[in-house]
Amino acid sequence: MSLLPHSGIFAAVERLCAGSDPKPPLRLFDGTDRAGVPLTLVQARELLYDRSVSPAARAALWHQIAERMHCDDEGSDWPTAAVWLALPGLRRTAYKITWHLRAERGDVEAELVTCYLEALGEVGAHDSDAGGEVLRSACSRAWNVWRRARLETAVDDVESAGGVPSETDADGFWRADYDPPPRHPGLSATVRITVPAGRVEGVRIGALAQRWGVADMATSVGHSGRGRQVATISLRRVGRHG
């Protein structure tokens, strides 16, 4: 049983460029013809990733692709063709981002195409490894975008996301106590803060310690057993009048 092909922007570009040969064509400058040898789109893509082709010839092709992107001809097929030429260099990164960061493949492909077009627009006239620089830059930018996106998780139920059980009584309270060790300078008595259960998702030990002015002492919740313990912090649920 064969797997259904992924229906994303990469697949759409493949379909649009099937049998396409936009004008003007790319030309291969390999020393055999001063005017360059005209190439079909398929030939050009094969040469762009063929390590046996001289780096200078491949760089010249990438510079031509960048120039075609700046073309103002209305109805030109080059914007789509330029993306098609880059797909072999983008697919592996699309798979890796999707797999490692659990991202949606369609969104990853769209971001990669955007980053690629941005990088292609920044190609310098004298870049000796234009293709490598464009693809590396595009893939690096896409990784950075999705790493940042991974830190933000969209949820419908904020209270559940904060770790508060859905059956928690809204009238209940959570209490945090700070107990300094005997004879320790600074706070000399237990400090207690009581917070409504409905706001417990906003309570963080670090925020409490900073509010109490003991952030430099209470650096973690646990105690490793090494060195001198300077304080303990406890957070527990109590009744309304506890």
Side-chain angles (χ1 to χ4, degrees), residues 97-121:
I97 294 176
T98 302
W99 175 258
H100 291 290
L101 301 183
R102 300 296 186 266
E104 290 292 333
R105 177 63 181 260
D107 294 339
V108 172
E109 290 183 359
E111 188 63 44
L112 274 167
V113 169
T114 299
C115 294
Y116 162 70
L117 294 176
E118 291 176 351
L120 190 62

Side-chain angles (χ1 to χ4, degrees), residues 214-229:
V214 296
D216 57 335
M217 294 184 291
T219 57
S220 66
V221 178
H223 175 51
S224 66
R226 295 175 297 175
R228 180 172 58 88
Q229 185 173 0

Side-chain angles (χ1 to χ4, degrees), residues 12 14 21 23 36 45 59 64 80-81 103 113 118 120 129 150-151 168 173 177 181 184 189 203 222 224 231:
E14 290 283 5
D21 274 313
K23 305 299 181 184
R45 189 158 85 165
Q64 292 175 64
T80 305
V113 169
E118 291 176 351
L120 190 62
D129 183 21
R150 190 183 187 188
L151 300 178
T168 299
F173 287 84
D177 296 336
H184 190 83
V203 176
S224 66

